[in-house]
Amino acid sequence: ALGFKFYRVTVQAGDRLAIEAVARRLGSKLDPVLRLLDLKGRELAFCDDESGLGGDCRLAHVFAAGGDYLIEVRDIHHSGGSDHRFRLRVGDFPLVSLPFPAAVKAGTKATFDFVGPQVEKLKPVAASGPPNATRLALSTKFPGGKSSAFASALVSNTTEFMDAEPNDTAETATTFTLPSGLNGRFLKPKDRDFWKFEAMKGQRVLFTAQTRSIGSASEVMLQLRDAKGTAIASSSVNDPGEGSVTNTIPADGAYFLVVDELIRRGGPQHAYRIAAELLTPGFTLDTDVEKAEATPGGSFSVKVNATRRDFPGPITLSVLGLEGAQLAEEVIKEKATNGTLKITLPESARPGSLTHFRIVGKAKIGESEVQSATRTTPALKKLFPAMPFPPRELEGSIALGVK
């Protein structure tokens, strides 16, 4: 289980080779290290962690001389075992981290550039955000190239704005409306982005950064300013997430969100997306259950936790994807922070089958019916402890095996 993996590759003089180890992003315990060696053991290139890859690594090298070379893959701690799996990509592909913009509204078309250490020769790609999807898969290659790089844009349900450079002062700020997604780049060191919006007294706003979770090398600081330039709220460097700031608007008028790279870095690898929201009374739901078992006609239970936001009323749970199932104890009671949903399968459930379902909560808030899907983030983090950002595609899905 312990040791090294070596792969032998033959190249011609002038060939470029890109090598990427995908491990942490697969939920593997392997913390990979890559080395490129000649046959005498001399190191030509090395990579441990690369920012934005969640602990994975990649490199590219142009060979001065043709011949045979070695690619070495190992764990940084020389650990190994069946849970130390990885996938190695080798070819002449660009080193791409993420597309820009980082998200597209479902049902709309966007033109994407690419962010990463080697993206200068890449042409933009136009694509539409599919409905009922969490991501849009994109690929790109060098002009005339044979090996593709892969990236994915988030698919959102809000309008996506892109920063319009220069926007490094309040006077040149990029204007947006709430709710929306804000997509920006730090094109050079010490770059700073100003975003301008209108808000009314009493509105509660929330801005949440996305950087590492989408493949960017950046870390950001957020600051909310009023029309006079006075700071009224800032994100914290101790935020366990990727940075957020919230505030209740003190008066009608114009406000600014100022976005800085944490240590003022900039360049082709640095981009971000900000989820800009208006918070209204409501709730979010989560569970630490990601799988369950039951017999035909049998029952199982799922504990659902509720985080309330200025809403104390009852929340009614329902299930999507389990036709014919009967529910009991489906109401999270007034002011309660959790409930236990009992699900009984129909007698027609087929033994040996595997399906997936989701739990949705609904409530009447004022004159509106509010709906929220139950997240499985706590369960996914237990299932993939080495993966800092579990796949969005798995979020909310619970597997059911019929015994």
Side-chain angles (χ1 to χ4, degrees), residues 186 211-212 217-221 241-242 260-263 265:
F186 301 113
T211 53
R212 289 169 287 138
S218 291
E219 303 273 0
V220 299
M221 285 290 292
E242 298 171 89
D260 285 292
E261 212 287 325
L262 183 61
I263 55 176
R265 297 173 297 176

Side-chain angles (χ1 to χ4, degrees), residues 110 148 379-380:
S148 294
L380 293 174

Side-chain angles (χ1 to χ4, degrees), residues 215-230:
S216 173
S218 291
E219 303 273 0
V220 299
M221 285 290 292
L222 308 177
Q223 187 178 80
L224 190 60
R225 298 183 184 181
D226 64 17
K228 295 180 181 180
T230 303

Side-chain angles (χ1 to χ4, degrees), residues 65-203:
D68 286 0
Y69 294 85
L70 297 175
I71 301 169
E72 176 193 312
V73 186
R74 66 171 173 86
D75 181 83
I76 187 66
H77 301 296
H78 299 277
S79 298
S82 60
D83 51 5
H84 284 60
R85 61 190 183 279
F86 66 92
R87 185 170 189 267
L88 190 69
R89 295 195 67 234
V90 182
D92 185 17
F93 52 85
L95 298 189
V96 167
S97 301
L98 69 151
F100 183 82
V104 58
K105 183 179 181 180
T108 68
K109 190 173 185 178
T111 299
F112 299 92
D113 291 317
F114 293 92
V115 176
Q118 295 181 359
V119 297
E120 294 80 6
K121 298 179 182 179
L122 301 181
K123 295 181 179 180
V125 173
S128 297
N132 304 315
T134 58
R135 292 183 188 269
L136 168 64
L138 299 166
S139 65
T140 183
K141 62 179 66 174
F142 290 127
K146 297 181 180 180
S147 300
S148 294
F150 302 97
S152 63
L154 305 179
V155 178
S156 73
N157 57 6
T158 59
T159 301
E160 296 292 323
F161 291 87
M162 295 171 59
D163 65 344
E165 297 286 352
N167 64 334
D168 53 357
T169 65
E171 291 72 26
T172 59
T174 302
T175 302
F176 70 96
T177 55
L178 290 160
S180 57
L182 313 180
N183 297 269
R185 287 182 283 192
F186 301 113
L187 297 178
K188 59 183 184 298
K190 298 183 180 180
D191 196 3
R192 165 180 282 181
D193 288 345
F194 277 75
W195 297 86
K196 183 179 181 179
F197 66 101
E198 297 284 335
M200 294 184 294
K201 181 179 180 178
Q203 287 184 322

